[in-house]
Amino acid sequence: MVTKRTSVRAGSQESATASIRYEDDSVRSVEFEQLRRGSFDGSVPWRQVRSAKGHKHHPGEYASATTRGLVVYESRLELARLLLADFDPQVVGILAQPCRLRARVGGRWRLHVPDFLLVLGDGNVRVVNVKPADRLLDPEIAEALAWPGDLVEGHGWQYEIWSGADPVLLANVRFLAAYRRAGVVPDEDIAQAWEVVQDGDPLTVAERRLAAGRPVEDVRPAVLALVWSGRLSVDLSRPIDGDSVLRRAA
């Protein structure tokens, strides 16, 4: 969906800023043009996420393999985007609610807290806002999400408004996420699976060879841990099953 962009006023007496909260609860405001990835070192989410009985958005904390820590989210849709970010080999850092943006837009000052900031392995940064597709039909919401994009892209960073992904892809990533954390599967089992699995093996064939007479359930976690890590890949556009073809990373 294309949203109307409301340009951020340039050359105003007060420039756009990003306010960042740190672990000691101090807050530092940085002129946006001076903002760098390192500005977020030691930072914490701008808002505290609290869950309550009857809360419609289901907030929580996600144990990320990428950050090796907890990342907060405020809805199930945000959790879905977090899972995909954690699975993405290009993403090397994830920050939730990284800052509060302040900029002069349409003659008045506006505030906005992005949902996520993703640090990419090539050094780039992507700011992500998560919103259901039907909410983007509201012109006020579309405009409120558009001006931060002008600001972010004008800074040379990437900007994304995310409303969901293919349900089969999400279901597969949720399934694989059970094997994302170090120590869930012994390292020696993963190393053995990597030695045994051949490029082009269907999952059941690879499991039988690796099991060598043992129950395949004993060896399946090691194969799936390799898929989560990206060393093995499968077609995620269809449900993972015994016929899924495994491909070794180059």
Side-chain angles (χ1 to χ4, degrees):
M1 173 178 291
V2 177
T3 57
K4 181 181 179 181
R5 289 294 180 93
T6 302
S7 63
V8 179
R9 180 178 172 184
S12 59
Q13 186 175 1
E14 296 182 69
S15 60
T17 60
S19 295
I20 304 170
R21 193 181 306 278
Y22 294 93
E23 293 171 347
D24 61 0
D25 207 34
S26 64
V27 174
R28 174 184 167 210
S29 291
V30 181
E31 289 191 7
F32 202 84
E33 61 183 15
Q34 300 298 324
L35 193 63
R36 300 292 183 270
R37 166 60 190 93
S39 304
F40 297 93
D41 291 346
S43 68
V44 296
W46 180 258
R47 293 189 295 259
Q48 291 185 351
V49 174
R50 297 184 177 90
S51 59
K53 186 177 181 180
H55 200 295
K56 295 182 180 180
H57 298 296
H58 305 284
E61 295 179 321
Y62 170 76
S64 168
T66 301
T67 68
R68 299 184 180 181
L70 297 176
V71 181
V72 300
Y73 60 89
E74 292 190 311
S75 69
R76 287 176 176 169
L77 193 61
E78 286 190 13
L79 175 57
R81 185 64 186 89
L82 261 181
L83 279 165
L84 293 180
D86 209 28
F87 183 63
D88 188 344
Q90 295 183 343
V91 176
V92 298
I94 306 172
L95 293 88
Q97 300 181 21
C99 60
R100 185 188 67 186
L101 304 178
R102 180 177 184 266
R104 193 168 183 82
V105 183
R108 62 190 180 97
W109 289 101
R110 301 286 295 274
L111 300 175
H112 176 74
V113 178
D115 293 319
F116 300 112
L117 184 147
L118 308 181
V119 182
L120 308 182
D122 62 4
N124 212 329
V125 172
R126 181 181 304 151
V127 175
V128 180
N129 275 314
V130 176
K131 192 68 66 177
D134 59 345
R135 299 288 303 282
L136 295 177
L137 298 175
D138 184 328
E140 291 187 5
I141 292 177
E143 187 274 335
L145 294 177
W147 71 260
D150 284 333
L151 190 64
V152 169
E153 291 176 349
H155 191 54
W157 289 357
Q158 299 176 8
Y159 183 66
E160 172 185 301
I161 300 175
W162 193 83
S163 298
D166 176 71
V168 175
L169 169 65
L170 284 173
N172 283 331
V173 174
R174 286 191 185 99
F175 172 63
L176 293 171
Y179 308 96
R180 70 189 185 275
R181 299 173 68 183
V184 170
V185 182
D187 290 343
E188 56 269 27
D189 290 356
I190 295 175
Q192 183 183 12
W194 179 246
E195 291 295 326
V196 170
V197 175
Q198 299 177 15
D199 186 68
D201 274 348
L203 180 58
T204 52
V205 172
E207 288 176 340
R208 285 197 298 268
R209 186 186 307 115
L210 182 60
R214 294 175 292 162
V216 295
E217 291 80 6
D218 291 350
V219 301
R220 182 169 298 155
V223 178
L224 296 176
L226 285 170
V227 176
W228 170 268
S229 70
R231 297 174 70 187
L232 294 176
S233 64
V234 297
D235 180 2
L236 296 177
S237 67
R238 59 181 298 273
I240 296 174
D241 59 21
D243 294 327
S244 295
V245 175
L246 299 165
R247 294 295 181 188
R248 294 173 66 94

